[in-house]
Amino acid sequence: MLSLRALRRFLPALASALVAGSALADTYDVKLPPELSTSPKLCDYAPCKDVMPGATSFSERRGQPPFVEAYKDEAGQKKLLGYVMLSTDITDIPAYSGKPVVTLIGMDTTGHFTGVKILKHSEPILLLGIPEAALVKFNNQYLGKFVGDNIEIGKSRPEENLIGLDAITGATVTVIAQNQVMMTSGNEVAKQVGILKPVNRPQARFIASTATPSWAELVSDGSVQRLVVKAEEVGLKSDGRPYMDLWFGYLNEPSIGRAILGKYGYDGLMSRLSAGEHAIFIIKTAGMDSFKGSGFVRGGLYDRVQVRQDKDSFTFRDLDYVNLWGVSASGAPAFDESAIFIIRGKSFSAAYPWKLIFLGNKIDKETSTKTFANFDKEYWLDAKYLEGGRPKVVKPDPTWLKVWKERAVEIGAFTVFLLLISVAYASRDKLVRRSTHKNKWPVNAFKYTAWVVSIGFVGFTAMAQPSITQVLTWFHSLLFQWKWELFLSDPLIFVFWIFIIVTVFVWGRGFFCGWLCPFGSLSELLYKIGQAVGLKRFQFHLPQKLHDKLKWVKYAVFFGLLAVSFFNMGLAEKLAEVEPFKTTFLVGIMNRSWPYSLFAAGLLGLSIFTERPFCKYLCPLGAALAMPTTFRWFGLKRKEECTSCKACAKGCGSLAIDTKGNIDQRECMLCLDCMVLYYDDHACPPLAQERKRRTKAGQPLTPINGKGYYIPIHPAPADKKQEGAAA
Amino acid sequence: MTIADKTELRQPAYGNAHGLKWLAAEAWDHLWPWAGRGQAARKLIQGAGFALAIAATVAWVLAAMGRLEAGAIIGWWFGWSVLEVFVRLDAKPYVKEGPWWGHLYRRATVMDMICYVSFKNLLIGAVLFIGLKSIGALQV
Ligand code: SF4
Ligand code: SF4
């Protein structure tokens, strides 16, 4: 345990040593003062002036969610200049790392952004490779833009009133999250201060009814909903109880209201409401904390529950609270806390879906810092209560879906490409039979096409080079929190991974590595080019014995990264720079600092002289894929004679064939050279021998069967021995 | 098949079972790393294997009762996996060759066994881990 603790301490130290001097190192996982999120004086702990140029003083935090007002002195008078907000006060949208990017945002009194500053982020992708300037440039795109505009990552579409922002290449997920953070934060504050007006929705008209449904009926038709927050979701240790177990519902609808409050209770409550006011009830049936909270003291505001309808949120003050003494509906559960809250915002309409939001704090176990976390549950009155049924509501696509729609053509083309190459490989028996050891074009035409597309389109253009960091991220998501959205937000990588997982089990890693990996393809292409331009005499393979030792290095690299990632994901991601992929495709060899460029260029340079040095000895992704390749379903063919014949082994650029003629599928790149030989009666020694024997004996050269032999001339039983001897 | 040398092929512990019997025997083979009756195995490795397997099982039970942290259970599972490699190399030194629904096995090299055990235990571990997490017994 002691050593674990020491390791935990040592790794972050190593991490900071590694990133010292690199871009964005100063905001990467920095320790922010705890007062930043708790003190009323936000600007004592945050550089508010940086995001609100010209401001001379700032108010304390106010509002819900909180923000501060920025003033400047004008002739001794304080003039309101705008508002400054801390993103994590308002939203908990996580970025790629699963943690939020803590951002300070300034907005003037007309709702235009005046400044954006990142105080802390945990995005390894921004650490190395992508320069700080890129993020600053990205953030600067917001300056002067209006908070009420429809701003998204991607191309502008004036016909849809959509303003597009340029993404940071290679960090799309991060900037998509960042955009949501900017817009959500800006909107929340703009609505509170009246810059953005609430949407007016047509009010619901209820169908008259005298029914008084039971609790079970209310639950089954969705008139009562349940919002459960587990203890671990807020970073607490579970003692079997949930942190919060709330039931809630809408009371204005007469049959629901009567069922919950009883006839008199309902009538009494309705008589207290003016037109356009709505009541909801909440009961807590179990939990470790109060949903009303103690914060209610703070400005008379209930700061743990909120109602949100689309972009409008409704908070509750002490005057919006009414006691709920009991629930009349038969079969209602016992509760220990209850409330009726009145929604007074004019824009609320029960005809449309809304959400009850529980605003919690998540406590980070390691640092004991609190971060904002909110939980919600949707509520929408059943159509049977509404005159004319439910109105049509178009819900905006989730971000990942938007990305998929936007890149549909690219995704389609990529999928077709993968399928075509798979079909080609699945037809390998036909292709290798058409090839000879002197002319391998029937195979190579497909393979080289795959390489070129992989390098040009997948690698350099779409930047969809798979990486070990994705494997590490899965391990972590598996352990901590699996979020499909995270993986879906990069569609090509997502499609590629599904494809890789399937093909690794069907054929082995050789198909991806040998045919489709952008870096692997580039590496082998350079080797082939070297061969073609007369460098062949300088090309070499390591001796088999040395190779058989060095090939284990890549597994050590993989396990090393995996182990480090359990302690410190950031460090693991940095160490994953052992993959030159980011340098080669994402950032560009010429654009990175020299150690990275030298490393990538060195590996590629070496590839001209020896086949795929990186793949053979270093690649952690190759190693990670090689391990399940142990159980690939369909391998290559071998004949008995392969045990003593060394022809294929000599030609195997991957040095994957052992002295007994067995192929190590973990090392094999499925280049198919040995399969060409297998059927080539001028190259496969036992086959060539048989060809010569038959020619001499004047026997016909029959076609070669699937086992790599000429079809026996005489009926099988009598001839088998003879053929065996000849072979 | 990628094997040229037929002497590398092996017969699994359960022999020639077919159909449902085969499926059950195969499942047993994945879950029970120790030698079957009448098979040779070194006592020391068997014994150590049993001991650690019991400890790892206890660890899972503790985790299910909410008495063990996620990190600890991962540690136990990893430790057991390392020993399982030795136990299997001793008692059941073979891995499947070709399709999973086939009946062909080959001699396992150390690396084959590491790959097999880590992959199998990753799947078993993930199922248990996610199961325990979803019932709220384990916290990360
Ligand atoms: S070993 Fe690595 S770099 Fe080489 S082809 Fe495979 S994944 Fe790509
Ligand atoms: S020659 Fe055969 S064994 Fe070697 S890499 Fe190519 S396909 Fe694999």
Side-chain angles (χ1 to χ4, degrees):
Chain A
M1 233 39 215
L2 198 69
S3 55
L4 271 190
R5 227 172 284 142
L7 197 61
R8 269 178 201 270
R9 257 182 241 139
F10 165 72
L11 289 177
L14 181 59
S16 35
L18 262 175
V19 300
S22 70
L24 274 180
D26 39 350
T27 51
Y28 178 78
D29 252 348
V30 285
K31 206 170 156 39
L32 294 172
E35 295 87 349
L36 181 73
S37 46
T38 52
S39 164
K41 297 190 169 174
L42 167 67
C43 295
D44 285 2
Y45 302 92
C48 293
K49 286 184 181 161
D50 291 2
V51 296
M52 185 55 68
T56 47
S57 62
F58 299 91
S59 72
E60 293 196 345
R61 274 189 166 100
R62 59 184 51 171
Q64 179 64 18
F67 61 92
V68 302
E69 288 176 347
Y71 309 101
K72 82 169 174 189
D73 281 329
E74 232 174 46
Q77 292 267 317
K78 266 187 174 180
K79 186 179 172 236
L80 181 66
L81 207 57
Y83 311 92
V84 175
M85 61 211 96
L86 185 69
S87 64
T88 42
D89 275 352
I90 302 170
T91 168
D92 56 353
I93 297 168
Y96 189 78
S97 58
K99 294 185 186 159
V101 172
V102 185
T103 313
L104 195 67
I105 304 162
M107 181 176 75
D108 67 16
T109 48
T110 60
H112 292 84
F113 290 110
T114 54
V116 185
K117 193 170 172 87
I118 290 184
L119 304 184
K120 174 182 175 172
H121 75 88
S122 313
E123 306 296 281
I125 186 87
L126 292 180
L127 252 189
L128 296 162
I130 295 170
E132 179 163 18
L135 195 65
V136 173
K137 200 170 133 211
F138 172 79
N139 280 333
N140 283 346
Q141 298 181 87
Y142 288 98
L143 302 188
K145 294 223 164 53
F146 179 57
V147 63
D149 281 339
N150 209 350
I151 300 178
E152 287 206 355
I153 308 297
K155 289 193 195 76
S156 288
R157 288 201 297 271
E159 66 288 358
E160 292 172 40
N161 270 334
L162 196 129
I163 301 176
L165 298 184
D166 301 330
I168 301 178
T169 322
T172 327
V173 179
T174 311
V175 295
I176 287 177
Q178 183 64 2
N179 184 51
Q180 287 176 333
V181 165
M182 289 291 300
M183 299 319 290
T184 313
S185 307
N187 264 282
E188 285 294 330
V189 175
K191 272 183 293 185
Q192 286 190 65
V193 298
I195 295 172
L196 290 180
K197 300 281 174 272
V199 184
N200 272 324
R201 298 176 179 83
Q203 290 298 315
R205 284 200 310 274
F206 305 120
I207 294 172
S209 151
T210 50
T212 31
S214 68
W215 182 264
E217 284 163 339
L218 291 171
V219 172
S220 83
D221 71 9
S223 304
V224 169
Q225 293 284 356
R226 186 182 194 181
L227 169 60
V228 183
V229 181
K230 292 189 201 145
E232 53 271 29
E233 288 177 306
V234 288
L236 294 176
K237 223 177 159 38
S238 165
D239 58 0
R241 291 179 298 166
Y243 176 69
M244 205 41 78
D245 190 352
L246 304 177
W247 295 87
F248 66 98
Y250 179 72
L251 292 173
N252 288 40
E253 200 292 319
S255 45
I256 303 171
R258 281 193 204 110
I260 300 292
L261 305 173
K263 184 172 176 341
Y264 296 112
Y266 175 74
D267 292 345
L269 178 68
M270 288 305 120
S271 66
R272 292 172 69 163
L273 300 185
S274 333
E277 292 184 346
H278 308 261
I280 62 165
F281 81 96
I282 304 177
I283 58 173
K284 188 187 97 199
T285 52
M288 305 159 84
D289 209 342
S290 153
F291 72 80
K292 294 182 199 162
S294 51
F296 156 60
V297 193
R298 251 189 25 204
L301 195 78
Y302 289 90
D303 58 357
R304 296 199 174 170
V305 282
Q306 220 176 61
V307 161
R308 177 184 290 268
Q309 194 157 41
D310 200 11
K311 282 183 177 171
D312 299 322
S313 44
F314 306 90
T315 49
F316 307 113
R317 301 187 159 269
D318 41 6
L319 290 176
D320 306 326
Y321 171 83
V322 178
N323 279 324
L324 172 67
W325 300 112
V327 172
S328 300
S330 60
F335 54 87
D336 57 15
E337 198 181 15
S338 61
I340 293 174
F341 288 117
I342 298 171
I343 302 170
R344 299 195 202 268
K346 296 246 171 354
S347 67
F348 183 85
S349 163
Y352 293 84
W354 53 274
K355 281 176 180 165
L356 179 73
I357 304 199
F358 179 80
L359 304 129
N361 285 311
K362 187 175 165 84
I363 299 156
D364 188 294
K365 269 197 214 137
E366 257 164 51
T367 57
S368 307
T369 48
K370 278 186 179 180
T371 50
F372 182 79
N374 72 40
F375 307 88
D376 59 44
K377 179 78 189 189
E378 190 177 273
Y379 188 101
W380 195 1
L381 273 184
D382 195 85
K384 72 177 179 214
Y385 298 112
L386 297 166
E387 248 180 50
R390 284 174 166 180
K392 208 172 152 41
V393 173
V394 188
K395 290 197 181 164
D397 290 337
T399 314
W400 68 265
L401 191 58
K402 278 187 209 154
V403 179
W404 280 69
K405 282 184 177 167
E406 231 164 64
R407 298 178 70 181
V409 176
E410 214 180 322
I411 299 167
F414 183 52
T415 312
V416 170
F417 162 68
L418 293 178
L419 291 178
L420 283 180
I421 299 300
S422 307
V423 170
Y425 182 77
S427 328
R428 62 191 172 284
D429 220 58
K430 287 199 187 80
L431 299 180
V432 295
R433 278 168 183 272
R434 282 200 193 148
S435 312
T436 65
H437 68 293
K438 289 203 175 122
N439 172 19
K440 294 178 188 152
W441 274 104
V443 173
N444 288 349
F446 289 101
K447 192 165 66 182
Y448 292 171
T449 310
W451 284 358
V452 170
V453 175
S454 260
I455 300 167
F457 169 66
V458 185
F460 283 111
T461 314
M463 305 198 182
Q465 162 79 54
S467 153
I468 191 66
T469 54
Q470 289 141 7
V471 179
L472 300 180
T473 310
W474 294 343
F475 269 105
H476 274 246
S477 305
L478 208 64
L479 291 182
F480 301 110
Q481 200 177 12
W482 187 270
K483 277 200 178 145
W484 281 107
E485 295 84 348
L486 184 68
F487 304 112
L488 285 166
S489 52
D490 211 330
L492 291 199
I493 295 271
F494 185 84
V495 171
F496 213 171
W497 268 110
I498 301 273
F499 175 84
I500 292 169
I501 292 168
V502 172
T503 55
V504 160
F505 286 115
V506 178
W507 293 314
R509 56 95 64 138
F511 184 52
F512 164 71
C513 284
W515 291 58
L516 289 162
C517 169
F519 189 84
S521 305
L522 179 61
S523 177
E524 196 173 340
L525 187 65
L526 286 173
Y527 184 74
K528 299 279 182 211
I529 292 175
Q531 221 165 31
V533 299
L535 294 174
K536 194 165 179 177
R537 60 210 156 102
F538 299 114
Q539 293 185 325
F540 63 96
H541 287 314
L542 289 189
Q544 187 77 38
K545 272 205 175 130
L546 183 60
H547 166 83
D548 284 340
K549 291 205 174 83
L550 288 181
K551 71 181 178 191
W552 301 115
V553 174
K554 61 177 173 289
Y555 297 100
V557 173
F558 167 58
F559 277 113
L561 285 176
L562 190 62
V564 170
S565 76
F566 280 113
F567 297 100
N568 186 329
M569 189 66 179
L571 179 60
E573 300 241 10
K574 268 163 263 150
L575 294 175
E577 284 289 335
V578 66
E579 292 177 333
F581 305 161
K582 211 190 277 175
T583 312
T584 311
F585 298 111
L586 255 59
V587 190
I589 291 191
M590 310 305 279
N591 302 336
R592 281 199 88 170
S593 53
W594 68 267
Y596 299 102
S597 304
L598 188 68
F599 178 61
L603 281 173
L604 289 173
L606 191 59
S607 306
I608 301 175
F609 301 101
T610 184
E611 195 182 305
R612 294 185 180 240
F614 174 73
C615 304
K616 281 190 180 119
Y617 308 118
L618 276 181
C619 182
L621 177 61
L625 298 178
M627 293 188 66
T629 297
T630 309
F631 325 107
R632 55 94 191 88
W633 297 341
F634 305 110
L636 301 176
K637 294 179 175 177
R638 303 264 74 195
K639 12 186 146 176
E640 256 166 61
E641 290 81 354
C642 298
T643 48
S644 52
C645 161
K646 303 279 174 281
C648 287
K650 230 177 251 158
C652 174
S654 299
L655 304 175
I657 306 180
D658 70 12
T659 44
K660 286 180 182 166
N662 304 317
I663 296 176
D664 181 348
Q665 60 245 43
R666 286 185 290 262
E667 299 300 316
C668 166
M669 291 287 157
L670 296 178
C671 72
L672 299 183
D673 282 1
C674 58
M675 291 308 299
V676 170
L677 239 61
Y678 185 88
Y679 290 116
D680 186 343
D681 58 7
H682 282 78
C684 171
L687 207 51
Q689 230 171 10
E690 169 72 353
R691 178 181 52 82
K692 283 183 201 149
R693 191 192 65 77
R694 284 196 182 190
T695 318
K696 223 186 229 167
Q699 289 173 339
L701 294 179
T702 59
I704 297 167
N705 65 16
K707 296 201 162 128
Y709 300 107
Y710 285 115
I711 295 170
I713 297 164
H714 301 297
D719 217 40
K720 222 175 186 173
K721 252 187 197 153
Q722 199 184 340
E723 185 224 337
Chain B
M1 135 177 102
T2 326
I3 289 182
D5 180 9
K6 297 277 181 337
T7 60
E8 293 284 307
L9 294 179
R10 289 289 179 278
Q11 182 77 311
Y14 56 80
N16 283 325
H18 276 274
L20 270 184
K21 236 173 148 187
W22 165 75
L23 215 62
E26 176 115 342
W28 180 249
D29 221 38
H30 288 307
L31 296 173
W32 187 258
W34 295 282
R37 213 176 300 141
Q39 276 181 291
R42 267 171 285 173
K43 289 273 167 320
L44 187 69
I45 298 182
Q46 290 274 87
F50 274 123
L52 200 67
I54 291 168
T57 313
V58 171
W60 277 111
V61 173
L62 283 178
M65 292 179 354
R67 301 257 192 86
L68 205 65
E69 283 196 18
I73 189 66
I74 295 171
W76 272 105
W77 197 231
F78 176 76
W80 157 245
S81 301
V82 172
L83 201 69
E84 187 181 346
V85 172
F86 289 102
V87 172
R88 280 194 184 263
L89 278 173
D90 179 49
K92 293 182 169 172
Y94 48 79
V95 287
K96 179 136 293 165
E97 169 63 38
W100 298 352
W101 53 92
H103 291 220
L104 212 54
Y105 285 78
R106 66 167 194 265
R107 178 180 69 88
T109 61
V110 177
M111 189 57 184
D112 284 337
M113 198 51 91
I114 293 177
C115 293
Y116 167 70
V117 171
S118 51
F119 185 63
K120 171 180 69 82
N121 286 0
L122 179 75
L123 292 185
I124 297 178
V127 169
L128 289 176
F129 195 90
I130 294 169
L132 290 187
K133 233 176 67 171
S134 60
I135 60 166
L138 253 190
Q139 287 171 33
V140 199

